[in-house]
Amino acid sequence: MDVSFDLTDQVAFVTGASSGLGAHFAKTLAAAGAKVAIGARRADRLADLAEEIAASDGRALPVELDVTDADSIARAVTIAEEELGAITILVNNAGIPPKDLTLDMEEAEWDRVLDTNLKGAWLMARAVGRRMVEHGHGGRIINIASVLGWRTTAKQVQSYAVSKAGLVSFTETLALELGRDGICVNAIGPGYIKTELNTDFLEGPAGERIQKRTALGRFGEPSDLDGALLLLAGPAGAYMTGSVIAVDGGLTLSTL
Ligand SMILES: NC(=O)c1ccc[n+]([C@@H]2O[C@H](COP(=O)([O-])OP(=O)(O)OC[C@H]3O[C@@H](n4cnc5c(N)ncnc54)[C@H](OP(=O)(O)O)[C@@H]3O)[C@@H](O)[C@H]2O)c1
């Protein structure tokens, strides 16, 4: 059977790889055979991750990156391609939560969230997509959205949900735009996966409620996203584009 999740000879670029899901995605892609450029602002953490991946016989290249800054992206993508070869898989994972709800939020905070979670994904997709088109070998772009991109709750962190809804729409429109170039664009919508981004929140009363509402009765682990990631990155997912895969333990099934 010719179905494969093997990423040998692929070059991946993972944004937001200095912690949480991004660090895990980098390890998963490297374990599947890809060479991986790992980008984020905290260079010390990237260096540690690169060593960890090398210790497991993988190849990872740390590149300092601020996804809100087009010049930083241009530098990082150039370094990645010089060192590892043409990028064939982009994982737009960098993302931040806002500090405040709508009425208390300062304008700069709204911009910070949207610039990182949505504009950053576009800037990365533009920089890497142009090169994928130029190289002519197609590619994969995987956007890390959230179930909050299509479902909502009271006391929701609005700018975050808006950014993720935008990312879902961006996934679909970009899939249409790049399909003829052999570039598949999909998104993963995780439910609640325990990482640095949300540990405080999930350990509070809201976390208890969420866990009770989740069909599988638990929060996710980063490894729970591996199946969707490898499907969208590898040969097995070659005919998927514009899809948004929820990986949420059944959290969004119930509205009660
Ligand atoms: N954990 C969940 O339950 C969950 C659920 C749904 C969706 N998600 C999404 O999954 C992604 C990863 O979340 P996480 O839980 O792993 O959070 P995390 O541990 O806080 O990781 C966020 C990553 O984004 C990077 N980042 C932030 N701003 C950046 C910038 N301007 N330029 C480059 N990198 C930047 C951070 O690195 P530096 O600070 O070093 O730059 C960090 O590596 C996010 O997009 C999040 O919205 C998470």
Side-chain angles (χ1 to χ4, degrees), residues 23-247:
H24 181 79
F25 292 152
K27 288 189 247 182
T28 301
L29 295 169
K35 290 178 274 184
V36 188
I38 47 178
R41 296 165 302 179
R42 287 170 293 176
D44 52 336
R45 285 196 176 217
L46 295 176
D48 291 346
L49 177 63
E51 271 182 30
E52 197 185 330
I53 289 174
S56 306
D57 294 330
R59 174 84 203 275
L61 175 77
V63 279
E64 270 189 69
L65 168 76
D66 181 345
V67 296
T68 66
D69 176 350
D71 291 337
S72 165
I73 289 174
R75 272 195 303 277
V77 169
T78 300
I79 292 169
E81 292 216 329
E82 278 171 3
E83 295 286 324
L84 302 180
I87 297 166
T88 54
I89 301 163
L90 167 64
V91 183
N92 270 323
N93 164 78
I96 54 170
K99 295 191 183 83
D100 305 304
L101 294 176
T102 305
L103 301 189
D104 300 320
M105 187 183 289
E106 297 296 334
E107 196 176 335
E109 176 68 354
W110 175 274
D111 289 344
R112 196 175 71 90
V113 174
L114 270 289
D115 284 356
T116 306
N117 298 3
L118 182 56
K119 186 177 173 191
W122 162 62
L123 286 173
M124 281 299 305
R126 184 179 68 167
V128 174
R130 281 175 177 165
R131 286 171 183 256
M132 285 176 172
V133 170
E134 207 175 290
H135 297 313
H137 304 304
R140 306 291 175 87
I141 297 176
I142 302 168
N143 294 322
I144 306 305
S146 162
V147 291
L148 297 179
W150 65 92
R151 294 294 283 273
T152 190
T153 62
K155 288 231 165 190
Q156 171 89 25
V157 280
Q158 283 88 348
S159 58
Y160 182 83
V162 167
S163 73
K164 295 299 185 179
L167 195 53
V168 167
S169 177
F170 179 53
T171 300
E172 294 169 348
T173 53
L174 193 65
L176 276 175
E177 188 177 331
L178 299 184
R180 292 294 196 276
D181 290 295
I183 299 169
C184 299
V185 187
N186 295 287
I188 297 173
Y192 287 94
I193 317 288
K194 241 184 186 179
T195 65
E196 286 173 40
L197 176 131
N198 56 21
T199 302
D200 291 348
F201 173 71
L202 293 183
E203 284 175 355
E208 205 174 314
R209 277 198 305 277
I210 290 165
Q211 204 158 342
K212 278 188 187 146
R213 277 195 10 231
T214 303
L216 294 181
R218 64 171 177 88
F219 299 126
E221 301 291 332
S223 59
D224 287 319
L225 302 174
D226 286 352
L229 178 74
L230 291 174
L231 173 65
L232 297 179
Y239 198 56
M240 293 184 69
T241 197
S243 299
V244 182
I245 302 179
V247 185

